[in-house]
Amino acid sequence: NLFDARTSFSGVKWGVDDAADSLITENKLQQLIIVGIYNTPDRISEYSPFADNERGGGNGDAYLSFIVESVKQFIDEKYRTLTNRENTGIAGSSLGGLISLYASIKFNDIFGLVGAVSPAIYWSNLRIIDYLKDSKLAYPFKIWFDMGTDEGEDSGILFKYKKAIQHCRLLKEAIDYKNCISENKITYHYEEIENAKHNEKYWAERIDRILLYLFGK
């Protein structure tokens, strides 16, 4: 989904590699390594930090441990990387956005840069918001989060996105609250994208701005 339309389930790619190459060539973006992890039939469980009454899940801790202990360790050993949290990011869309947001809190010492694109905040009755409020941050971090105004549908899974804008505004309020009471602040960019839907086409249209916000020079 990130790099190749031929392997994308929808036939549309984000074009993360193309966007990064162009921005690096224009000297607007730091050189960086982007790692795309293939999903599995257990993706819903792996991308969800908490169990949901309707859809189950809740295996996110194990998935993030795999990223931190196996994937990141492999990349840092094989390539010339800046291993500190200030240069380490995690990002995703939908449930991938939810688990990325959760990672910034759970593994606050590892991930200093986060992209939560159209995040599934609704999951487990918006539990991620209380989790953020109740967690103690040992370090500051920087996050891009956004939501399209047309992501919900009248039925199916995307019915949960009918109130996605309201949910994102609640997340913004939670971050503002956290910044008022915490020594370590969360720097953020929040955006409501007019008429954007919940799919790769619309995520591709803003990936360049996401990269610039998180890794721009």
Side-chain angles (χ1 to χ4, degrees):
N1 288 7
L2 298 180
F3 306 126
D4 192 339
R6 294 171 298 179
T7 59
S8 171
F9 82 95
S10 66
V12 179
K13 65 177 181 176
W14 286 47
V16 179
D17 49 343
D18 299 328
D21 283 344
S22 295
L23 293 169
I24 290 170
T25 299
E26 295 169 9
N27 200 33
K28 296 179 180 178
L29 192 71
Q30 301 176 53
Q31 294 187 15
L32 72 164
I33 295 172
I34 302 172
V35 180
I37 303 173
Y38 272 95
N39 61 48
T40 76
D42 294 324
R43 62 178 293 277
I44 291 177
S45 180
E46 291 175 343
Y47 293 173
S48 56
F50 321 107
D52 183 85
N53 289 336
E54 293 182 25
R55 300 180 68 193
N59 204 29
D61 283 345
Y63 175 67
L64 290 177
S65 293
F66 161 69
I67 292 178
V68 171
E69 297 168 11
S70 297
V71 178
K72 185 178 187 305
Q73 182 174 332
F74 172 80
I75 297 296
D76 287 340
E77 290 175 353
K78 188 172 178 64
Y79 300 101
R80 293 182 300 143
T81 59
L82 300 172
T83 61
N84 60 7
R85 60 182 308 282
E86 291 79 9
N87 290 285
T88 302
I90 185 169
S93 63
S94 197
L95 275 174
L98 175 67
I99 196 66
S100 297
L101 173 57
Y102 177 76
S104 68
I105 306 166
K106 177 78 173 182
F107 291 94
N108 185 231
D109 59 327
I110 302 293
F111 301 108
L113 303 167
V114 185
V117 184
S118 302
I121 298 169
Y122 72 85
W123 188 267
S124 190
N125 295 317
L126 287 76
R127 188 172 168 187
I128 188 65
I129 292 178
D130 287 334
Y131 181 77
L132 171 62
K133 287 181 177 179
D134 295 339
S135 298
K136 180 175 175 57
L137 299 176
Y139 302 94
F141 67 88
K142 184 177 187 179
I143 180 172
W144 166 295
F145 66 107
D146 62 28
M147 190 65 67
T149 62
D150 197 21
E151 300 210 15
E153 295 180 353
D154 292 332
S155 62
I157 293 174
L158 291 182
F159 176 76
K160 296 287 188 178
Y161 275 81
K162 293 289 282 187
K163 295 183 178 180
I165 291 292
Q166 293 95 312
H167 295 166
C168 258
R169 290 174 182 173
L170 289 174
L171 175 60
K172 179 182 178 297
E173 290 177 7
I175 292 175
D176 290 337
Y177 164 80
K178 198 72 178 175
N179 283 340
C180 287
I181 65 171
S182 301
E183 179 180 349
N184 294 304
K185 308 300 183 183
I186 302 170
T187 303
Y188 68 87
H189 174 90
Y190 170 55
E191 189 169 329
E192 297 175 5
I193 301 159
E194 196 68 28
N195 300 321
K197 297 182 182 294
H198 193 83
N199 60 50
E200 279 70 21
K201 173 184 180 294
Y202 291 94
W203 297 329
E205 289 177 356
R206 57 198 194 250
I207 187 58
D208 56 341
R209 295 189 291 116
I210 296 170
L211 288 171
L212 282 172
Y213 179 73
L214 296 176
F215 292 99
K217 289 187 172 181

